[in-house]
Every structure is written in structure tokens, then in C-alpha cells.
Amino acid sequence: MCSPTVAIAAISSVANFVGQQQQAKAQRSAADYAYQNTRGQLIRRANEEAVATGEASADTVKEAMKRRAEVNVQAGESGLAGVSIGALLNEVSMEEGTILSRNENTFENRLAALNDQEMGARALRQQRYLDAPNPSIAKVGLDIGSAYIGNMDATGAQSGPSWGTLLG
């Protein structure tokens, strides 16, 4: 029969183990929630960037079409023809392409930045997982064994109070 000291140490170790398990689970849940929240915000921002880039590109194409129409009308009214009109139309197309290319590069850079932020959020979640308690059932056994051994006298018998002296 074990002494009250060993029994109390066993109960304390088991309670500590269960408490650490619950704390670890709570920390992991909080880390998952924070990550999912951040990820949702980043996805929303990526969608907003895609819409904004699409709108800017559509506006650029529309402006280029207007400019081409103006060049054609002005050329018809002034009697210009041939190479000079082609050069003006090519210039409009070049400006349109340059703007569209810049818009696309900006969009890709913004998506890359959002992806970097998502990777950072993922790493933070992983760190929070690593920081959570990692209870070990082996430690519970060692704590109980240490309490048992620490409660022995030189002959190997349990020392200290016994249940009989405590109860009566």
C-alpha cells in the first residue's frame, strides 16, 4: 500500500498532466482560429486586388479604343493617311500595352506580398503550436516514482505518515 504522500503526488501529477493537455488544446485552437482569420482576410484582399486590376485594365482598354477612334476621326477630318496614322495608332497601342503590363506586374507583386503574409501567418501558427505545453505521461510516471522513492527510508520501507495514522 502506498503512503498518503505518494498518493497525493500521484494525484497532483495526473491533474497537472490533464491541465497541460487542456491548455495545449486551447492554445492550438486559438492558433488555428487566428490563422484562419488572417487567411480569410488575405483571401479577401487578393480578391479585391484582382477586381481592381481587372477594372483598371478594362478602363485602359476602353481609353485606348477612344483614343484610336479620335485619331481616326482627326485623320479623316484633316486628310491624313498612311504611315502617319499608323504611327499614331501604334503609339496608342504601345501606351495601352505598357499600362496593362504595369497593372499586371503590380497585381502579381501584391499577390506575392499577400502570399508572403500568409506564409508568415502559417509560421506563426506553427510557432504557437510549438510553444504550447507538451505533456508527457512518462513524466507523470517519473513524478510518482520519484515521490515513492523519496518517501523511502534506508531499509526500503515507506516512511512518513501512513493511512492508518491519518485515518485513525
Side-chain angles (χ1 to χ4, degrees):
M1 181 182 229
C2 71
S3 73
T5 305
V6 175
I8 290 170
I11 291 168
S12 175
S13 287
V14 170
N16 188 29
F17 174 78
V18 170
Q20 285 182 346
Q21 279 185 320
Q22 291 171 344
Q23 182 183 4
K25 184 178 179 182
Q27 281 183 267
R28 288 183 181 116
S29 290
D32 287 339
Y33 176 79
Y35 170 72
Q36 292 301 332
N37 187 32
T38 300
R39 188 170 184 274
Q41 291 173 0
L42 293 173
I43 289 171
R44 179 186 49 78
R45 285 177 45 202
N47 289 335
E48 289 171 356
E49 290 291 341
V51 168
T53 299
E55 289 173 349
S57 295
D59 291 345
T60 300
V61 170
K62 184 178 175 182
E63 277 301 312
M65 289 172 64
K66 282 183 184 179
R67 184 73 180 113
R68 283 187 200 95
E70 289 172 1
V71 166
N72 283 324
V73 168
Q74 289 172 354
E77 289 176 350
S78 65
L80 290 176
V83 176
S84 56
I85 293 174
L88 290 172
L89 292 173
N90 285 341
E91 184 179 328
V92 171
S93 294
M94 186 188 78
E95 288 176 16
E96 174 188 22
T98 300
I99 293 169
L100 290 173
S101 178
R102 285 184 193 154
N103 288 348
E104 185 63 28
N105 286 340
T106 300
F107 175 64
E108 289 173 4
N109 290 338
R110 287 180 178 163
L111 285 183
L114 292 173
N115 188 49
D116 291 345
Q117 289 177 14
E118 195 273 335
M119 288 173 53
R122 191 179 312 153
L124 180 60
R125 178 180 67 170
Q126 185 64 32
Q127 186 59 50
R128 287 177 177 168
Y129 267 53
L130 293 173
D131 290 344
N134 191 14
S136 168
I137 195 70
K139 183 177 180 327
V140 172
L142 288 172
D143 289 347
I144 294 169
S146 295
Y148 183 80
I149 291 171
N151 200 38
M152 294 173 84
D153 62 17
T155 65
Q158 288 289 309
S159 63
S162 67
W163 290 108
T165 59
L166 289 176
L167 298 175

